[in-house]
Amino acid sequence: LQNVPYLPITNENLLHWDAGIFNKIKDNYYDQKAAGGNYIFATFPLFPLLWKLSFLSPIGISIFNFFLYIISLGLLLLLYKNELPQRNKYAFIICIVCLPTIVPFLIPYSESTFLFFFTIAVWGLNKKNYFFYFLGLTLATTTRAASVIIFISFFSVELFYLTEHRKILLFLKGLIAKTSPVFAGTILALMFHAITGYGTMFSFIEAQKYWGNEFTSLIILPTGRKNHLA
């Protein structure tokens, strides 16, 4: 097996790229000295906190992430079962479970946690249950820095509805109700940065320089990004 084009799955080999950063946060929170720099502020805290509470190894959390992905996918398929193509439905489900793009859900990354809580938010929104919507979206935006993209999405939708009903107060009410958990989750994450890392609530923005972005304000970062831990 010395010449195979891949590394064996071991706890050590799983701790590359962002997984290594999450592992440092799991062990030391946002301690800049322990991490060797303030680059750790580029990530949000919920996934490493859950990893810490689980006491799982990198392999263990990878397996957990996969099951979390399957649960999220199952909830979404159940929610939108009438929208699925009835012909070859099971082949379609198997296909989306086996796509190569699900790799981030199979390693110690935050994608599965984000997807799960965002799915809870979508479920709450569709079932008109604001508690689950608020809880899910707050926890999702404490997991990944996605607040700007989510806000723009909701703003665009509410703006579209505004062109139909032309009621400013209704527009503002809908926008505030939908985006409040986005800001709540983001503020919680930034407060955790400041408290445990002895930084500021703007340390996230400062850390973007390690990804070649001088200013990327709370926009979700793509998977497979370059950083100095590669």
Side-chain angles (χ1 to χ4, degrees), residues 74-76 78-80 118-129 132-133:
L75 289 173
L76 289 172
L78 184 63
L79 187 61
Y80 295 105
F118 198 84
T119 298
I120 297 300
V122 171
W123 185 278
L125 187 64
N126 277 267
K127 300 298 182 181
K128 302 185 185 305
N129 188 317
F132 281 105
Y133 169 76

Side-chain angles (χ1 to χ4, degrees), residues 125 130 133 137 154 158 173-182:
L125 187 64
Y130 191 73
Y133 169 76
L137 196 53
F154 282 131
E158 293 300 324
K173 181 181 178 181
L175 185 63
I176 291 172
K178 288 185 173 66
T179 59
S180 292
V182 175

